[in-house]
Amino acid sequence: MNLHRKQFTSLALAAIATGFWGSALAQGAYPTKTVTMVVPTAAGGTTDLSARMLAQALAPVLGQSVIVDNKGGGNGNIAASIVKRAEPDGYTVFMQYSGYHVISPHITKQKQWDQADFQPVANVISAPQIIVVRNDLPVKTLPELMAYAKANPGKLNYASSGNGSLQHVTGAMLEQQGGIKMVHVPYKGTGPALQDLLGGQVDLTFGTAPPFMPHIASGKLRVLAVTGKQRLPSLPDVPTTAEAGYPKVDAMSWFALFVPAAVPKPVVDKLTADIRTVVQSAAFQQKAQEQGATADYQTPAQLGDKVKADLANWAQVVKSSKIEAE
C-alpha cells in the first residue's frame, strides 16, 4: 500500500511539475498563435486606423498575425466587455480610445467595466482634434463659424463618435467658449459620422485628423482649426484654436493598447517592448505624421499615470458641460 502511495505521489508531483514547466515554456514562447486586437469603434476612424497601422507593423515583430476586430457601439462598452471577459493570455488585446477610457466612465450610469479590469501596455498614437465642416457651409474660419452659429442659434448640428466621446465634449467646450448653441448628433464611431458629414446630413464634426485628411485634400471637407497647442505639420496653414481666439478649446486624443488585468507580466513586457520597436521606428513615425497624428510610445507606467490624470481632468469638463448619459 505504501509503495503504491509513494508511486502515486511521485507521478502526481511529476505531472504537476510537467504542467508547470510546460506552462512556463508556453508563456516564454509568447506568442504562438494569432493575436486579436479588439477596437471599440466602427471602421474608418482614428482608433481603427491606429489599430490597423499597429497591427500591420507589429505582426512581423511578434512573428504572428495580428487581426483587427471592430466591435463598435455602446460608447466603447461592447468592446471593453469583450476584452474584460477574454482569456488573460495576451491573445486578445484592446486598442482603446481616450474618450471612451477617461470620459465615458463619468457619464455611464450602469458601468460594464472598471479601470481595474485592464492593465496598460503602451500608448501608440496621440493627436489633437480638428474642427471640420462640410464644404458648402458658408464659413471659412473658426470666427466665421461662431458668427454663423450666433446668427442661427440651434441650426448647426455636429456629429460625434458617441455621447460622451471626446468629439462630443469638444463640441460642448466650443459652445461654452463661443456662447453658441448647436445640436449634437451621436454616431457609433467616427467612420459613420464622417460619411454623413460628406453626405451633408450634418454640418461639422470634431476629430483627429487621419480619417479626414483625404477628404480635406480633395476639397470635400474644410478644416477650420486644430485644438492642440501647435499646428499640425500635415496642415501647416490651419491655425490652432488659440490663434483663432479660443485658447480654452484644447482637446487631445490618445490611442493606446490595454489587456485584461490578469495577463502575466512577461507577456505585457513582451508586447510593450515590441510596440516600442514599432512606434519608435522612422517609418511608423512618418506615417503617423502624414496622417496628422504623432507616434507617441509610452510605457505601461506612463500610460497608467496618463489615465489617472485624464480621468480627473475630464471629470471637471464633463461636470461643467453638463453632459449626461443618453
Side-chain angles (χ1 to χ4, degrees), residues 57-58 61 270-282 284-285 297:
L58 185 60
V61 180
K270 166 69 174 171
L271 278 170
T272 196
D274 286 352
I275 290 171
R276 178 176 182 172
T277 298
V278 168
V279 175
Q280 292 185 343
S281 70
F284 194 92
Q285 291 179 353
Y297 170 80

Side-chain angles (χ1 to χ4, degrees), residues 45-51 53 95-99 102-103 123-131 165-167 170 173 190 206-213 225-235 240-241 249-256 279 284-285 287-298 303 306 310 314:
T46 304
T47 314
D48 175 66
L49 292 173
S50 298
M53 277 178 59
M95 174 57 81
Q96 179 66 304
Y97 157 55
S98 58
V102 298
I103 297 177
N123 192 71
V124 178
I125 294 284
S126 295
Q129 303 281 300
I130 58 174
I131 302 174
S165 64
L166 190 55
Q167 293 100 318
T170 303
M173 289 170 62
T190 300
F206 312 89
T208 47
F212 300 96
M213 293 298 286
V226 175
T227 64
K229 292 180 171 58
Q230 298 178 336
R231 294 192 181 196
L232 287 172
S234 54
L235 295 169
T240 65
T241 45
V249 180
D250 186 356
M252 289 288 293
S253 294
W254 46 263
F255 305 88
V279 175
F284 194 92
Q285 291 179 353
K287 190 171 184 179
Q289 182 173 313
E290 289 172 355
Q291 296 294 323
T294 301
D296 181 22
Y297 170 80
Q298 293 176 27
L303 177 56
K306 181 199 289 283
D310 281 3
W314 287 113

Side-chain angles (χ1 to χ4, degrees), residues 27-32 35 58-64 90 121-122 257 263-277 297 300:
Q27 187 182 95
Y30 173 88
T32 59
V35 174
L58 185 60
V61 180
L62 282 176
Q64 293 290 338
V121 176
L257 205 75
V263 169
K265 186 177 184 299
V267 173
V268 174
D269 290 345
K270 166 69 174 171
L271 278 170
T272 196
D274 286 352
I275 290 171
R276 178 176 182 172
T277 298
Y297 170 80

Side-chain angles (χ1 to χ4, degrees), residues 69-282:
D69 187 11
N70 297 88
K71 297 293 183 184
N75 280 359
N77 286 323
I78 293 174
S81 297
I82 290 171
V83 178
K84 171 187 172 180
R85 296 193 303 267
E87 188 73 22
D89 54 9
Y91 291 99
T92 302
V93 300
F94 191 21
M95 174 57 81
Q96 179 66 304
Y97 157 55
S98 58
Y100 289 157
H101 208 70
V102 298
I103 297 177
S104 293
H106 296 301
I107 66 166
T108 303
K109 293 181 179 179
Q110 296 182 337
K111 292 187 177 181
Q112 299 178 35
W113 59 273
D114 190 80
Q115 298 292 333
D117 293 325
F118 305 101
Q119 59 174 313
V121 176
N123 192 71
V124 178
I125 294 284
S126 295
Q129 303 281 300
I130 58 174
I131 302 174
V132 188
V133 301
R134 53 184 174 85
N135 64 353
D136 56 346
L137 194 70
V139 299
K140 293 185 178 180
T141 65
L142 183 54
E144 287 181 5
L145 176 69
M146 293 300 202
Y148 184 88
K150 287 181 178 179
N152 301 275
K155 181 178 178 181
L156 285 178
N157 55 47
Y158 71 95
S160 81
S161 64
N163 194 56
S165 64
L166 190 55
Q167 293 100 318
H168 182 191
V169 175
T170 303
M173 289 170 62
L174 195 65
E175 288 179 309
Q176 282 186 339
Q177 298 304 314
I180 61 173
K181 183 62 180 176
M182 300 183 290
V183 177
H184 172 229
V185 184
Y187 289 81
K188 292 182 179 180
T190 300
L194 171 58
Q195 291 307 310
D196 273 10
L197 179 62
L198 289 167
Q201 281 77 35
V202 289
D203 300 310
L204 68 148
T205 193
F206 312 89
T208 47
F212 300 96
M213 293 298 286
H215 309 292
I216 293 169
S218 69
K220 293 180 180 179
L221 297 177
R222 183 181 303 123
V223 56
L224 304 184
V226 175
T227 64
K229 292 180 171 58
Q230 298 178 336
R231 294 192 181 196
L232 287 172
S234 54
L235 295 169
D237 298 327
V238 178
T240 65
T241 45
E243 291 174 324
Y246 299 91
K248 292 184 179 181
V249 180
D250 186 356
M252 289 288 293
S253 294
W254 46 263
F255 305 88
L257 205 75
F258 294 81
V259 292
V263 169
K265 186 177 184 299
V267 173
V268 174
D269 290 345
K270 166 69 174 171
L271 278 170
T272 196
D274 286 352
I275 290 171
R276 178 176 182 172
T277 298
V278 168
V279 175
Q280 292 185 343
S281 70

